[in-house]
Amino acid sequence: MTQEELFKNIISHAKEYGFIFPSSEIYDGLSAVYDYGQMGVELKNNIKKYWWDAMVRLNENIVGLDSAIFMHPRTWEASGHVGAFNDPLIDNKDSKKRYRADVLLEDYIAKIDEKIEKEVEKGRRKWGESFDEEQFRATNPNVLRNKQKRDSVHERMAEALNANDLAALKQLIVDCEIACPISGTKNWTDVRQFNLMFSTQLGSVSDESGTIYLRPETAQGIFVNFLNVQKTGRMKIPFGIAQIGKAFRNEIVARQFIFRMREFEQMEMQFFVRPGQEMQWYEKWKATRLAWHKALGLGDEKYRYHDHEKLAHYANAACDIEFDFPFGFKELEGIHSRTDFDLGNHQKFSGRKIQYFDPETNENYVPYVIETSIGVDRTFLAVFSAAYKEEKLENGEERVVLKLPAALAPVKVAVFPLVKKDGLPEKAREIMDELKFDFNCQYDEKDSIGKRYRRQDAIGTPYCVTIDHQTLEDNCVTLRDRDTMEQTRIPISELRGIIESKVDYKQLFKKM
Ligand code: GAP
């Protein structure tokens, strides 16, 4: 199965089992907007809890916040979003289709990369056991030619983006002879900037003074509340403010399912530090965040750092934690050293003093900020796609199982009476009524036990409990493990403890 086919299967599984639906589907959906179904909302909430507790509960010097989506319009002038939160766009005059110029070039580079990999594969097939990949890559003329071409396009693109040189971007697209995937022509407009913020009108004001924006990041709600939280919480630097909430961006290239959406959710933490100490905190948060990801157990090799070549307008250092999605390594989380850009600008634009008096140094200063910023939806996609497995069983049957980290599973335990009679449903209900105080449970008495197991595998339930006739005599049940499919007979009194030891978030936190 190709990665593309696998990704398609993952998307249909997400829909079939109530994780993710296209938004307003009965009207044919709304591009790049999705709804989370009955299973999806549970998984999403569990991801948010894992992040929130790792930040706010486990760190004495990090507190939470829930600020409004609408903010005073000057916020976005101060933050630089009105002036600089743009994507470079280009239209094809024949298809009338609009593209991000940098994405057209990235796709072009990805095609060259594919050619290189195909050449290496050819070599591997030709030379078999004796194939020396490193030497092949360093000497094969086709690989070298393509690599040189790739590096040159990449370098020119980075230069043009860094210098905000739109004419140079257009020239590069022309030089690479990139054609519109729809019309097939190279009839392009000039490249121009397009602001990604959604705007709307406040109340009854209909002129420009009433224009407000849907926040494109949650971070600004934290910055404008810096003094409120610092003073009322008597916070001492270094300290952090964490927030989870919706953000909105009018993305031009919205694709890859929930990877790039127009309405999405962020989990952001701004960590305020003494100026000059930002680099040590930047390194610390890079390591801490990677450990948080790896503790999920999806595979250490699925993560890598990627340092930014083009720094955002507010940063003096920045990197991404990338994840190996079914469509390749892509950004999952950003860690940014944002200097005093935001607080400094809010001070300037609002006319209010936004400073911290440091009792250790006897100085007033505008704190520097390290930000960790991760998308809830992207984390969902990372977890869901890595957990999705199509397995062939020993008896020749096949099963689709979501090997989700147990703490994140939407349902922790399913309770089945073996048959729908002889008092077994009543006993099963009794057990479920006890377990439901601690865990999200599902009761199921329909179809064979095998079919019920498959249904729970498909939504990632770590444990199934079966009640049979013997249970009425010895108060023991069969506990079945999702991953090993092993079944063990245990007393009902031990159920809670066994399940808890597997699904508790503590298991994840201990690995961090
Ligand atoms: N406050 C900094 C900030 O917003 P960003 O790199 O633009 O930085 C942070 O976004 C994270 O938010 C990304 O790493 C990604 O996980 C998520 N994200 C950004 N745009 C997104 C989109 N259109 N759809 C889904 N998630 C998105």
Side-chain angles (χ1 to χ4, degrees):
M1 187 173 19
T2 64
Q3 286 300 96
E4 217 169 294
E5 286 163 344
L6 172 68
F7 192 39
K8 273 196 188 139
N9 290 355
I10 289 171
I11 295 172
S12 19
H13 191 82
K15 176 153 187 239
E16 190 181 343
Y17 287 92
F19 284 89
I20 298 173
F21 308 126
S23 159
S24 14
E25 198 185 4
I26 57 168
Y27 295 102
D28 293 336
L30 184 65
S31 157
V33 187
Y34 291 90
D35 297 338
Y36 286 81
Q38 67 280 10
M39 286 300 134
V41 66
E42 297 288 345
L43 174 54
K44 199 179 185 209
N45 283 342
N46 293 341
I47 289 171
K48 289 195 264 187
K49 181 171 167 53
Y50 176 45
W51 183 88
W52 186 265
D53 285 357
M55 285 292 177
V56 177
R57 247 181 64 192
L58 300 190
N59 292 289
E60 283 175 40
N61 60 350
I62 298 182
V63 291
L65 179 77
D66 185 13
S67 69
I69 286 172
F70 291 136
M71 299 180 72
H72 193 285
R74 295 274 283 163
T75 309
W76 306 109
E77 288 171 37
S79 68
H81 284 81
V82 170
F85 194 53
N86 301 318
D87 272 348
L89 295 191
I90 189 164
D91 290 13
N92 182 269
K93 291 183 194 163
D94 299 317
S95 68
K96 309 272 183 268
K97 192 99 179 92
R98 181 164 291 175
Y99 298 93
R100 257 175 66 175
D102 55 333
V103 171
L104 277 181
L105 287 163
E106 272 166 12
D107 287 351
Y108 179 79
I109 289 171
K111 279 198 191 116
I112 306 178
D113 282 340
E114 258 173 48
K115 274 191 196 157
I116 295 175
E117 292 316 308
K118 271 196 188 137
E119 199 65 40
V120 173
E121 250 337 283
K122 237 165 70 187
R124 195 190 311 281
R125 277 202 303 274
K126 185 170 169 194
W127 302 106
E129 295 265 296
S130 60
F131 182 61
D132 181 341
E133 184 173 330
E134 204 175 317
Q135 199 198 353
F136 187 84
R137 284 183 190 271
T139 54
N140 179 277
N142 288 340
V143 170
L144 288 178
R145 190 172 21 82
N146 276 318
K147 188 165 176 324
Q148 196 191 11
K149 190 166 151 192
R150 177 211 187 280
D151 290 347
S152 147
V153 174
H154 189 260
E155 198 178 314
R156 281 179 66 189
M157 180 178 79
E159 260 171 34
L161 286 173
N162 270 329
N164 227 342
D165 187 342
L166 302 182
L169 269 183
K170 160 97 188 266
Q171 194 53 49
L172 187 54
I173 288 170
V174 172
D175 292 349
C176 292
E177 300 186 6
I178 295 175
C180 166
I182 307 233
S183 66
T185 70
K186 297 164 197 155
N187 194 8
W188 297 109
T189 62
D190 285 341
V191 178
R192 64 194 186 290
Q193 295 288 20
F194 174 85
N195 194 285
L196 297 184
M197 283 196 294
F198 283 103
S199 64
T200 185
Q201 291 301 121
L202 183 69
S204 58
V205 190
S206 64
D207 63 11
E208 233 178 51
S209 67
T211 300
I212 54 168
Y213 299 98
L214 272 73
R215 66 181 177 198
E217 61 172 14
T218 62
Q220 297 305 324
I222 295 180
F223 290 125
V224 300
N225 277 295
F226 167 77
L227 281 184
N228 284 339
V229 175
Q230 190 269 317
K231 288 199 170 3
T232 57
R234 293 181 294 119
M235 307 302 292
K236 289 204 168 37
I237 270 179
F239 75 90
I241 305 178
Q243 163 156 245
I244 299 178
K246 289 265 176 152
F248 304 82
R249 296 182 189 178
N250 198 359
E251 300 280 3
I252 295 307
V253 182
R255 57 182 182 184
Q256 288 152 337
F257 194 34
I258 55 169
F259 181 79
R260 198 178 297 287
M261 302 156 88
R262 298 205 164 100
E263 173 182 342
F264 58 100
E265 224 170 337
Q266 288 187 315
M267 306 187 279
E268 299 202 294
M269 193 278 296
Q270 311 294 323
F271 198 73
F272 300 94
V273 304
R274 196 178 287 166
Q277 294 191 342
E278 70 272 17
M279 278 310 151
Q280 79 198 48
W281 284 109
Y282 173 68
E283 291 304 329
K284 179 186 174 303
W285 279 109
K286 262 175 84 171
T288 305
R289 293 303 304 145
L290 188 62
W292 180 90
H293 287 284
K294 287 185 173 174
L296 286 171
L298 303 175
D300 289 3
E301 72 293 348
K302 287 197 162 286
Y303 301 90
R304 71 179 186 198
Y305 289 122
H306 168 76
D307 289 322
H308 284 204
E309 283 165 40
K310 181 180 189 266
L311 291 176
H313 57 273
Y314 47 72
N316 70 355
C319 85
D320 296 335
I321 293 178
E322 292 189 336
F323 185 78
D324 191 6
F325 289 97
F327 39 85
F329 271 98
K330 292 268 184 245
E331 174 187 346
L332 173 58
E333 169 157 13
I335 295 142
H336 313 124
S337 173
R338 286 180 85 128
T339 67
D340 58 354
F341 175 88
D342 302 87
L343 290 183
N345 265 13
H346 285 306
Q347 184 168 254
K348 222 185 301 167
F349 278 69
S350 68
R352 307 276 174 92
K353 196 167 159 192
I354 307 181
Q355 299 203 349
Y356 172 78
F357 174 73
D358 194 326
E360 282 178 34
T361 60
N362 258 335
E363 275 177 317
N364 272 308
Y365 54 77
V366 178
Y368 271 44
V369 172
I370 303 303
E371 162 184 79
T372 71
S373 174
I374 176 170
V376 177
D377 315 87
R378 267 189 212 179
T379 312
F380 187 110
L381 184 58
V383 169
F384 195 86
S385 57
Y388 177 92
K389 309 274 178 223
E390 296 178 10
E391 288 185 349
K392 222 176 176 70
L393 306 180
E394 274 173 14
N395 62 6
E397 282 179 21
E398 284 174 13
R399 72 163 181 165
V400 173
V401 55
L402 282 188
K403 293 192 169 172
L404 295 169
L408 303 188
V411 176
K412 304 295 193 256
V413 52
V415 182
F416 309 150
L418 184 63
V419 289
K420 269 194 269 184
K421 54 182 185 184
D422 305 336
L424 300 191
E426 289 75 10
K427 186 71 183 170
R429 285 277 178 206
E430 199 183 289
I431 293 172
M432 165 124 171
D433 283 345
E434 261 312 303
L435 291 177
K436 75 181 178 196
F437 290 114
D438 294 299
F439 313 110
N440 200 5
C441 308
Q442 250 189 18
Y443 175 86
D444 192 359
E445 58 179 26
K446 198 167 173 287
D447 300 321
S448 69
I449 286 289
K451 276 194 182 153
R452 287 183 252 173
Y453 282 156
R454 287 296 98 80
R455 280 201 285 269
Q456 295 302 326
D457 287 344
I459 59 169
T461 307
Y463 283 124
C464 294
V465 172
T466 304
I467 288 87
D468 55 24
H469 293 94
Q470 188 71 24
T471 308
L472 302 181
E473 282 161 32
D474 63 5
N475 265 326
C476 286
V477 290
T478 304
L479 185 69
R480 185 253 194 190
D481 183 289
R482 174 195 71 195
D483 299 340
T484 61
M485 293 186 289
E486 239 172 55
Q487 301 184 15
T488 34
R489 196 85 189 151
I490 57 152
I492 293 170
S493 57
E494 287 178 20
L495 263 181
R496 198 190 152 281
I498 294 175
I499 299 166
E500 171 142 317
S501 70
K502 177 127 172 174
V503 307
D504 197 352
Y505 286 86
K506 224 187 288 170
Q507 306 309 324
L508 299 180
F509 294 139
K510 278 186 190 157
K511 285 193 234 156
M512 279 171 57

